[in-house]
Amino acid sequence: MTEESPKMKMVIAIVNDSDADSLQRNLNKARFQTTKLSSSGGFLREGNTTFLIGTEAKYLDELIEVLKENCEHRDKTVPSMSPVANTLEDHYSFPMHVEVGGATVFVIDVEQFYKI
């Protein structure tokens, strides 16, 4: 007879760089182990941090709560961009107000999990 392993989830959380350090501290306090990757966003081309977090399904709500508490939305004004500095398709001639921060979170079922 084999013992059934716990249901596992892989959480991929993409967060603003300014939230990454406090998020990692609080994930560690809550005993979540993380792998941290540097990444960049497409629209603003600013730094992001992508966290890979494996967890048992029963802890998923707690993990999502830590993400919510540490990844805040904020408004940012993006200055106009010159077509000389970038390609024409990236050009906009007026400052734009955009919301940054928060987290983009993907939750994936894990078929098998090994800690070797």
Side-chain angles (χ1 to χ4, degrees):
M1 181 186 267
T2 61
E3 184 178 319
E4 190 174 321
S5 61
K7 301 280 187 212
M8 296 295 293
K9 300 289 184 181
M10 169 60 70
V11 176
I12 302 170
I14 304 164
V15 305
N16 191 282
D17 274 348
S18 60
D19 295 328
D21 288 339
S22 65
L23 174 61
Q24 186 165 33
R25 272 193 309 277
N26 287 302
L27 285 169
N28 290 341
K29 277 185 196 176
R31 301 198 184 274
F32 290 106
Q33 296 180 359
T34 66
T35 298
K36 185 173 146 180
L37 307 169
S38 295
S39 54
S40 60
F43 178 67
L44 296 178
R45 295 189 178 111
E46 291 186 342
N48 290 324
T49 300
T50 300
F51 287 91
L52 304 177
I53 309 159
T55 186
E56 290 182 39
K58 65 183 178 181
Y59 300 118
L60 185 58
D61 289 340
E62 180 184 351
L63 172 58
I64 297 299
E65 197 56 40
V66 173
L67 289 166
K68 285 180 182 177
E69 290 171 358
N70 289 276
C71 300
E72 59 186 64
H73 288 276
R74 50 200 162 273
D75 291 327
K76 178 176 182 171
T77 300
V78 180
S80 62
M81 296 177 64
S82 165
V84 174
N86 297 296
T87 64
L88 189 57
E89 64 193 42
D90 293 334
H91 174 68
Y92 48 93
S93 60
F94 52 90
M96 294 174 47
H97 299 285
V98 295
E99 186 177 276
V100 296
T104 300
V105 181
F106 300 90
V107 179
I108 302 166
D109 290 331
V110 175
E111 192 171 313
Q112 294 182 355
F113 170 77
Y114 301 96
K115 197 165 188 175
I116 300 175

